[in-house]
Amino acid sequence: MSITPKQCGVRFDPPALVVTYSNSHKKLHRRTMPIRNFTKRSGISRAADELIENPRHKKYLESISRAQIEKLLRIIQEHLKGISLQETLDEIKRENTIDPEEDLNKVDDATLIRKKEIMDETFEKNRKKPGDDDFEYEVEMDFHPAIETSGWDEDGESDSDF
């Protein structure tokens, strides 16, 4: 039986993930997956692993991205810390957006990995594949000449030694 998730959500008391899905008969069902022994100090990655690997929940979570599961677990964890839902959602949104002015050379490894995952997800979402309606095999574009000149190549020396 194929399962297609329609919505994912959380329940705060007791903590649980809630997935609304449809089966092969197109009938909607709701699956509540309790998150046992989850505290405000629990590791989100480990809790996500336990949920995904649990044989009772595996078929419901296999088509939901790991990032989405971790985001939902983070919402529950922040609620356990006493932080409001809106503050948590704002913080998660800020962390999950790419600021073009942000210098990723100066961030810690965990943040860099997360930002790269976000870039990969965005790329895959916007990627044009053969079979897409607006796919073009060979796209030719004219680029306008550079407005700024770079000083590193103006000294007039040639690389004749090479």
Side-chain angles (χ1 to χ4, degrees):
M1 180 180 341
S2 68
I3 292 174
T4 307
K6 300 294 182 185
Q7 293 179 329
C8 298
V10 296
R11 184 179 69 193
F12 291 124
D13 192 28
L17 268 149
V18 181
V19 176
T20 304
Y21 63 94
S22 65
N23 59 12
S24 57
H25 303 294
K26 305 293 184 212
K27 187 173 179 185
L28 283 178
H29 298 277
R30 179 176 293 157
R31 174 78 175 190
T32 302
M33 295 165 263
I35 304 166
R36 302 191 195 322
N37 304 321
F38 190 69
T39 65
K40 55 186 171 184
R41 293 191 187 103
S42 296
I44 291 174
S45 181
R46 183 175 176 197
D49 286 338
E50 289 174 5
L51 265 175
I52 293 169
E53 312 260 331
N54 187 327
R56 297 182 73 200
H57 307 311
K58 191 171 194 154
K59 67 180 178 179
Y60 304 100
L61 297 175
E62 64 187 3
S63 57
I64 299 172
S65 73
R66 181 181 179 81
Q68 178 72 21
I69 294 169
E70 287 182 358
K71 178 181 174 182
L72 294 170
L73 291 172
R74 171 103 185 271
I75 291 170
I76 293 172
Q77 189 174 55
E78 297 296 321
H79 178 76
L80 292 173
K81 291 178 183 177
I83 299 173
S84 74
L85 179 61
Q86 190 58 49
E87 289 176 30
T88 302
L89 292 174
D90 291 342
E91 178 67 19
I92 290 172
K93 184 176 181 180
R94 186 187 62 74
E95 289 175 0
N96 290 334
T97 54
I98 303 293
D99 178 14
E101 301 300 318
E102 182 179 16
D103 187 0
L104 296 178
N105 290 320
K106 296 180 181 176
V107 298
D108 60 290
D109 289 343
T111 304
L112 181 63
I113 290 169
R114 181 69 193 130
K115 296 289 184 178
K116 285 184 175 183
E117 287 173 356
I118 294 166
M119 287 186 250
D120 287 342
E121 289 173 18
T122 306
F123 172 77
E124 287 300 324
K125 186 170 42 173
N126 296 326
R127 184 173 148 192
K128 306 280 189 243
K129 296 173 247 173
D132 290 348
D133 293 336
D134 54 351
F135 175 76
E136 292 182 45
Y137 178 71
E138 196 171 314
V139 178
E140 292 184 18
M141 295 183 76
D142 292 328
F143 292 98
H144 302 290
I147 297 172
E148 298 178 16
T149 58
S150 57
W152 63 270
D153 200 24
E154 292 181 356
D155 59 1
E157 295 180 20
S158 66
D159 292 334
S160 60
D161 296 338
F162 293 103

